[in-house]
């Protein structure tokens, strides 16, 4: 693992965003794909610039944890990419490459959404567990106070002692 990767992972873990390096890697790959394919003459400069703007918007929304905005940005980018393809500003090969990169980013965002939902559910369960443990402690305390109050009551017979005072008789 390179030192740069390690520092990103440490920062990401400290902030509690486990999925972020993966999303960042996908966004970097996506941007690199757009940059590498921009050299071809079949790739219109205006379409390239518009798509790059969408990439930046999606990356910023992902970094902020605004998953719905990131997904909306991907949807807008997909529409613009389709329009650029229909207008002949993006070749079919480039369209397929960019669409594949977008799908990878979408899967990472979906995974981040699922992870956030799982983390929220886990937190809810931990809070519920703590609440229930507090209730158990309160009930045990109440029970112990009740037992302490009954100890000074004197000579009470237990259930076993309350059986009939009859002796064992013979069955006739």
């Amino acid at each position: 693992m390179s030192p740069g990767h390690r520092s990103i992972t440490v920062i990401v873990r400290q902030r509690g965003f486990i999925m972020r390096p993966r999303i960042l890697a996908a966004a970097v790959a996506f941007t690199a794909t757009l940059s590498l394919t921009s050299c071809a003459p079949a790739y219109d400069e205006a379409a390239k610039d518009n798509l790059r703007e969408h990439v930046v918007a999606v990356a910023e929304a992902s970094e902020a944890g605004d998953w719905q905005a990131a997904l909306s940005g991907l949807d807008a980018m997909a529409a613009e990419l389709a329009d650029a393809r229909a207008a002949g500003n993006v070749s079919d090969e480039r369209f397929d490459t960019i669409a594949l990169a977008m799908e990878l980013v979408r899967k990472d965002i979906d995974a981040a959404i699922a992870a956030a939902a799982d983390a929220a559910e886990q937190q809810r369960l931990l809070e519920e567990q703590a609440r229930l443990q507090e209730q158990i402690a309160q009930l045990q305390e109440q029970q112990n106070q009740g037992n302490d109050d009954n100890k000074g009551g004197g000579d009470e017979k237990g259930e076993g002692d309350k059986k009939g005072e009859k002796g064992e008789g013979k069955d006739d």
Side-chain angles (χ1 to χ4, degrees):
M1 184 181 324
S2 70
H5 183 270
R6 192 172 326 130
S7 64
I8 289 171
T9 303
V10 169
I11 291 168
V12 166
R13 285 199 178 135
Q14 286 175 347
R15 296 173 97 190
F17 301 109
I18 305 282
M19 296 299 294
R20 222 166 255 160
R22 190 170 178 201
I23 292 172
L24 179 61
V28 168
F30 185 51
T31 304
T33 299
L34 288 176
S35 297
L36 291 174
T37 59
S38 66
C39 300
Y43 198 70
D44 181 72
E45 194 69 27
K48 177 183 71 172
D49 290 341
N50 288 338
L51 292 174
R52 277 192 184 153
E53 287 177 18
H54 286 293
V55 169
V56 170
V58 169
E60 288 174 350
S62 295
E63 180 63 27
D66 189 351
W67 308 122
Q68 294 310 313
L71 290 173
S72 294
L74 281 174
D75 292 340
M77 186 173 176
E80 182 145 346
L81 181 61
D83 290 346
R85 179 184 186 186
N89 296 331
V90 175
S91 70
D92 289 342
E93 182 180 338
R94 291 211 175 42
F95 176 88
D96 292 341
T97 302
I98 294 170
L100 177 62
M102 288 173 55
E103 188 57 33
L104 292 174
V105 171
R106 184 177 301 278
K107 285 181 181 181
D108 282 341
I109 291 171
D110 288 343
I113 290 170
D118 287 346
E121 178 63 10
Q122 183 178 12
Q123 182 63 35
R124 186 193 69 75
L125 290 172
L126 288 171
E127 290 170 0
E128 179 68 10
Q129 181 182 15
R131 186 186 66 77
L132 291 172
Q133 286 175 336
E134 179 64 28
Q135 283 182 339
I136 289 170
Q138 289 173 354
L139 290 171
Q140 287 173 339
E141 186 176 323
Q142 288 173 0
Q143 184 179 20
N144 288 339
Q145 286 176 353
N147 287 342
D148 290 345
D149 292 343
N150 289 335
K151 284 185 181 177
D155 197 23
E156 293 183 20
K157 292 185 177 184
E159 285 295 319
D161 296 336
K162 291 183 181 179
K163 289 183 185 174
E165 303 251 344
K166 297 178 187 176
E168 287 184 28
K170 294 182 184 177
D171 288 339
D172 292 299

